[in-house]
Amino acid sequence: QVQLVESGGGSVQAGGSLRLSCAASADTYSRLSMGWFRQAPGKEREGVAGARSDGITHYSNSARGRFTVSRDNAKNTLYLQMNSLQPEDTAMYFCAADPQLTYVWQLLQPSSYQYWGQGTQVTVSS
């Protein structure tokens, strides 16, 4: 069983930055592939960025160039540095983990993940 707790959300103005954290309670954290997702009201959950267990990362088109995903295996923590935030980035952001994810493209697919956090809200005002 893996428990995930997100933090770092908040309200910022357009152009600002936030860093999200996802702390995982798992003895085998280094073997987990991790992902960040977001869901705005009335919209489907979408993949933002992910980091496979071997360190390979993958980004959505909207995140690439503005967001950076990283993982600290010593701290069992996944991060998402978000820069140049825009109002369309407003959403609930979720962290997810899975021990069996194989392909890089799976990092952005919600159905690829077994474990999910409760989410942290990000609000960007214009």
Side-chain angles (χ1 to χ4, degrees):
Q1 187 72 17
V2 176
Q3 294 185 335
L4 304 171
V5 179
E6 302 95 334
S7 61
S11 298
V12 296
Q13 291 191 326
S17 299
L18 283 173
R19 188 175 83 152
L20 306 184
S21 298
C22 172
S25 62
D27 294 336
T28 58
Y29 176 80
S30 63
R31 295 186 218 164
L32 296 173
S33 291
M34 307 289 296
W36 284 105
F37 293 80
R38 66 187 183 186
Q39 188 167 18
K43 295 188 176 181
E44 292 187 355
R45 190 167 297 189
E46 63 171 347
V48 175
R52 207 169 59 179
S53 57
D54 60 0
I56 298 293
T57 58
H58 188 43
Y59 296 89
S60 67
N61 289 336
S62 62
R64 190 173 295 113
R66 299 188 300 132
F67 296 179
T68 301
V69 62
S70 61
R71 57 189 300 163
D72 186 337
N73 289 345
K75 296 183 178 180
N76 284 15
T77 302
L78 180 76
Y79 301 99
L80 184 68
Q81 177 66 43
M82 304 187 294
N83 299 327
S84 302
L85 284 162
Q86 298 301 315
E88 51 265 35
D89 295 315
T90 295
M92 184 71 78
Y93 282 70
F94 298 89
C95 170
D98 193 88
Q100 298 181 326
L101 190 148
T102 302
Y103 301 106
V104 172
W105 62 265
Q106 292 179 297
L107 287 169
L108 300 185
Q109 302 301 314
S111 61
S112 300
Y113 291 87
Q114 184 175 357
Y115 303 103
W116 290 86
Q118 295 299 308
T120 185
Q121 178 67 38
V122 172
T123 302
V124 185
S125 58
S126 58

